C-alpha cells in the first residue's frame, strides 16, 4: 500500500513539474526575461516545489508547541491505577518540518527574479492563494502596512525575511499584556500562512537572528528563499539545514553600471537641461523636477539631496508610484566618492536602487563638476568593489553595519546596469 502511494505521488509530482516548468518559461517571456538562461538550478527548484505540492499538507501543530528543533521521543512513565501500572498513551510524533529551499549565489544571477516568477505562476495558475494584503488586519483592530512587490505589474507575496518577521510579530504581540501570544501566533500561521503552502523570502539570514523561518517550517510551510551567502548558522542551530541550490554564471541582468553615466558629450545630456528649465516640486523634504519628454516621464533629483532625504524602503516605492510610467530618474551632481564613509548615505542609495528595481524604473546620472569625462571615472563595477574593500577595513563600525552595507552594494552593482539599460532603451 505504501509503495503504491509513493508511486502515485511520484507520478503526480512529475506531471506537476512539467506543467510548472512550462508555465514559468511562459511567464518569463511575458515579463520580458530571457528564459533561455534557465538551466539545471532553475529546474531543480521547480522539481523540489512540485514534489512538495504533490504531498498532502500536514495537520497543523498545537499552538502550545514551542517550535522544537528536534522531536523528542515520548517516555513511558508508570502510573498506579486500580493496583495496576499502565503506561500513558503515546503522543503522535509531529511530521518532520519541510526542508527550507535556499537559492544562493552572487548578486545578479537571477535568484530573486526566479522566485518572483514562481510566486506569480503558483498564485495565478496553480491555485495557491496569496493571503498577504497591502493592509493586514488583526482581530484587535490593529493594522499593519505591507509593501507588495510586483513583477510585470502583478503583485507578489514575496517578502524579505525582516518583513516576514515584522508581520509575524504584529500578529503575535499582545499590546494589552505586552507579551507574545502563542495562540495568536498559531492562528496567524495556520489561518493566514498555511493555506499558501509555499512562502517566498529574500535576504535569508543577512544579519541578526530571525526565528520566523523555523516557525514557518514547523507549521508545514515550504520556505523558498534567496541569499548571497552559502552558510546559515541560524538554521544550523535550529537543526533545520536547508537544501541549497547554487545560482552562478554571468549577471543575468542587462547593462553595465557605466551605462547610467551621462557625460557632456552624451546625447542624453539635454534631458538634464530640460529638467533644469522646469519648476521644482517637493515630496516631503525631497525636491524634484518632473517633466515629460516623448513617451517617458522624467524626474530630476539632486544626488546629495536624495541621499540625505529621510526616505527608505517603502517610502521610495511610494514616491515612484506617483509617476505615470514609464519613468526615468535623472540623478544630478553624482559623486560616488562622497559616499565612501557615509554609511547612511550608502544605505539610502541602496534603498533607492531597490525601489528602482521593484518598480522597473530607468536611471541616468550626471557626474559632479570635476569628476571626469569618462563614465568609468564616475561609476564602474571596479569602483563599487573598491568601496566594499574600504568599508570592510574601516575601524569603529560594527560588523553588522559593514555586512549590511557591503551586501547592499552588491545589489547596486547589478541593478545600476539594468536601470541604465532601461533608461537608454526608453530614451532611444
Amino acid at each position: 500500500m505504501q509503495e503504491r502511494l509513493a508511486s502515485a505521488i511520484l507520478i503526480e509530482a512529475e506531471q506537476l513539474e512539467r506543467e510548472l516548468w512550462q508555465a514559468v518559461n511562459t511567464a518569463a517571456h511575458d515579463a520580458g526575461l530571457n528564459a533561455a538562461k534557465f538551466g539545471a538550478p532553475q529546474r531543480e527548484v521547480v522539481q523540489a516545489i512540485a514534489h512538495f505540492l504533490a504531498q498532502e499538507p500536514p495537520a497543523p501543530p498545537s499552538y502550545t508547541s514551542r517550535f522544537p528543533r528536534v522531536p523528542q521521543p515520548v517516555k513511558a512513565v508508570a502510573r498506579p491505577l486500580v493496583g495496576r501500572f499502565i503506561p500513558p498513551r503515546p503522543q503522535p510524533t509531529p511530521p518532520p518540518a519541510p526542508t527550507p529551499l535556499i537559492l544562493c549565489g552572487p548578486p545578479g544571477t537571477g535568484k530573486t527574479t526566479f522566485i518572483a516568477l514562481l510566486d506569480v505562476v503558483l498564485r495565478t495558475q496553480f491555485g495557491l492563494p496569496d493571503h498577504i494584503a497591502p493592509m493586514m488586519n488583526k482581530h484587535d483592530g490593529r493594522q499593519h502596512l505591507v509593501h507588495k512587490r510586483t513583477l510585470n505589474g502583478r503583485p507578489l507575496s514575496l517578502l524579505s525575511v525582516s518583513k516576514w518577521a515584522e508581520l509575524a510579530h504584529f500578529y503575535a504581540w499582545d499590546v494589552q499584556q505586552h507579551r507574545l501570544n502563542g495562540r495568536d501566533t498559531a492562528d496567524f500561521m495556520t489561518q493566514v500562512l498555511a493555506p499558501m503552502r509555499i512562502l517566498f523570502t529574500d535576504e535569508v539570514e543577512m544579519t541578526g537572528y530571525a526565528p520566523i523561518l523555523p516557525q514557518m517550517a514547523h507549521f508545514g510551510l515550504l520556505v523558498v528563499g534567496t541569499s548571497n551567502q552559502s552558510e546559515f548558522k541560524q538554521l544550523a542551530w535550529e537543526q533545520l539545514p536547508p537544501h541549497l541550490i547554487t545560482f552562478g554564471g554571468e549577471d543575468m541582468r542587462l547593462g553595465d553600471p557605466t551605462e547610467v553615466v551621462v557625460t557632456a558629450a552624451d546625447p542624453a545630456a539635454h534631458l538634464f537641461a530640460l529638467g533644469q528649465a522646469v519648476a521644482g516640486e517637493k515630496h516631503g523634504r525631497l525636491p524634484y523636477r518632473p517633466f515629460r519628454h516623448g513617451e517617458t516621464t522624467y524626474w530630476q533629483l539632486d544626488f546629495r539631496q536624495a541621499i540625505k532625504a529621510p526616505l527608505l524602503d517603502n517610502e521610495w516605492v511610494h514616491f515612484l508610484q506617483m509617476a505615470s510610467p514609464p519613468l526615468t530618474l535623472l540623478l544630478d551632481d553624482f559623486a560616488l566618492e562622497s559616499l565612501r564613509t557615509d554609511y547612511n548615505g550608502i544605505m539610502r542609495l541602496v534603498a533607492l536602487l531597490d525601489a528602482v528595481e521593484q518598480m522597473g524604473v530607468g536611471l541616468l546620472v550626471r557626474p559632479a563638476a570635476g569628476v571626469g569625462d569618462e563614465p568609468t571615472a564616475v561609476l564602474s563595477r571596479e569602483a563599487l568593489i573598491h568601496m566594499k574593500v574600504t568599508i570592510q577595513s574601516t575601524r569603529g563600525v560594527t560588523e553588522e553595519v559593514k555586512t549590511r552595507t557591503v551586501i547592499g552594494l552588491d545589489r547596486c552593482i547589478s541593478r545600476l546596469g539594468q536601470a541604465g539599460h532601461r533608461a537608454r532603451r526608453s530614451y532611444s
Side-chain angles (χ1 to χ4, degrees):
M1 180 64 181
Q2 291 294 332
E3 292 180 357
R4 288 200 301 271
L5 179 60
S7 178
I9 291 174
L10 181 60
I11 293 172
E12 184 177 352
E14 290 176 348
Q15 176 65 23
L16 184 57
E17 178 188 347
R18 287 192 293 270
E19 294 176 1
L20 182 55
W21 181 250
Q22 179 60 47
V24 168
N25 278 265
T26 301
H29 176 76
D30 293 343
L33 301 172
N34 186 5
K37 292 186 176 182
F38 293 167
Q42 288 82 4
R43 193 68 191 241
E44 187 177 354
V45 177
V46 169
Q47 184 180 47
I49 288 176
H51 191 271
F52 172 79
L53 291 177
Q55 309 281 338
E56 285 292 327
S62 166
Y63 84 92
T64 57
S65 298
R66 298 296 301 276
F67 311 116
R69 292 188 290 276
V70 179
Q72 300 296 320
V74 177
K75 295 182 179 179
V77 179
R79 295 180 181 176
L81 179 63
V82 196
R84 297 172 57 195
F85 291 97
I86 301 177
R89 178 180 300 173
Q91 298 298 313
T93 302
T99 300
L101 188 66
I102 298 181
L103 287 53
C104 59
T109 49
K111 302 182 300 296
T112 301
T113 301
F114 192 68
I115 66 171
L117 282 171
L118 286 166
D119 194 350
V120 167
V121 169
L122 289 170
R123 309 298 177 199
T124 60
Q125 299 181 42
F126 287 80
L128 295 191
D130 178 5
H131 287 171
I132 308 302
M135 186 67 72
M136 301 295 286
N137 300 285
K138 193 178 176 183
H139 60 77
D140 60 5
R142 291 188 299 132
Q143 294 183 315
H144 180 79
L145 181 66
V146 178
H147 166 60
K148 297 278 288 184
R149 302 189 195 187
T150 60
L151 178 71
N152 200 27
R154 291 179 173 176
L156 304 172
S157 68
L158 168 65
L159 299 175
S160 67
V161 169
S162 61
K163 297 302 181 186
W164 281 118
E166 288 177 10
L167 183 59
H169 187 271
F170 162 73
Y171 277 93
W173 188 254
D174 189 324
V175 294
Q176 300 297 326
Q177 300 187 35
H178 302 287
R179 63 178 178 82
L180 295 175
N181 185 303
R183 185 179 294 277
D184 284 350
T185 299
D187 286 347
F188 169 63
M189 292 287 177
T190 58
Q191 298 175 19
V192 179
L193 298 188
M196 297 175 66
R197 297 295 310 276
I198 299 175
L199 299 182
F200 295 99
T201 179
D202 218 357
E203 301 174 9
V204 174
E205 205 163 349
M206 188 165 70
T207 55
Y209 175 65
I212 183 64
L213 298 190
Q215 289 183 7
M216 290 171 169
H218 176 71
F219 278 87
L221 288 149
L222 175 63
V223 176
V224 182
T226 69
S227 179
N228 297 337
Q229 304 171 204
S230 58
E231 295 183 3
F232 303 93
K233 295 179 181 178
Q234 294 173 19
L235 294 176
W237 183 81
E238 294 283 355
Q239 297 190 24
L240 194 66
H243 174 190
L244 301 183
I245 298 178
T246 302
F247 277 44
E250 297 180 0
D251 193 333
M252 294 183 71
R253 296 186 176 99
L254 298 171
D256 183 88
T258 56
E259 286 194 54
V260 307
V261 181
V262 176
T263 58
D266 195 313
H270 87 286
L271 294 172
F272 288 83
L274 291 175
Q276 292 291 341
V278 302
E281 298 183 14
K282 273 196 170 185
H283 175 73
R285 289 163 52 185
L286 176 66
Y288 68 105
R289 298 174 181 272
F291 65 97
R292 189 86 176 175
H293 181 68
E295 300 297 321
T296 304
T297 299
Y298 291 91
W299 284 359
Q300 186 163 325
L301 308 173
D302 180 83
F303 171 67
R304 288 176 174 81
Q305 291 175 331
I307 62 173
K308 289 181 180 179
L311 297 177
L312 283 176
D313 300 332
N314 296 347
E315 290 100 336
W316 274 119
V317 172
H318 295 155
F319 173 58
L320 299 180
Q321 283 176 332
M322 298 190 307
S324 299
L327 170 67
T328 291
L329 293 184
L330 305 176
L331 209 52
D332 203 7
D333 204 27
F334 182 85
L336 186 66
E337 184 66 27
S338 66
L339 295 182
R340 191 165 297 281
T341 56
D342 182 0
Y343 290 92
N344 286 332
I346 292 172
M347 293 313 298
R348 284 174 175 160
L349 176 63
V350 170
L352 170 58
L353 292 175
D354 283 347
V356 165
E357 164 85 0
Q358 291 184 44
M359 299 302 297
V361 171
L363 177 68
L364 296 172
V365 304
R366 183 165 67 172
V371 172
D373 294 329
E374 292 296 325
T376 52
V378 182
L379 185 62
S380 65
R381 292 178 184 273
E382 291 72 23
L384 290 165
I385 291 171
H386 181 66
M387 181 178 284
K388 287 168 52 179
V389 174
T390 302
I391 290 168
Q392 289 168 329
S393 61
T394 302
R395 296 181 178 180
V397 180
T398 66
E399 288 301 317
E400 180 175 347
V401 172
K402 288 183 181 181
T403 300
R404 277 189 168 275
T405 309
V406 167
I407 290 176
L409 283 173
D410 276 334
R411 297 204 302 271
C412 288
I413 291 174
S414 57
R415 291 178 180 181
L416 274 167
Q418 187 180 45
H421 184 83
R422 188 182 294 122
R424 298 286 182 178
R425 185 176 57 193
S426 176
Y427 171 66
S428 61

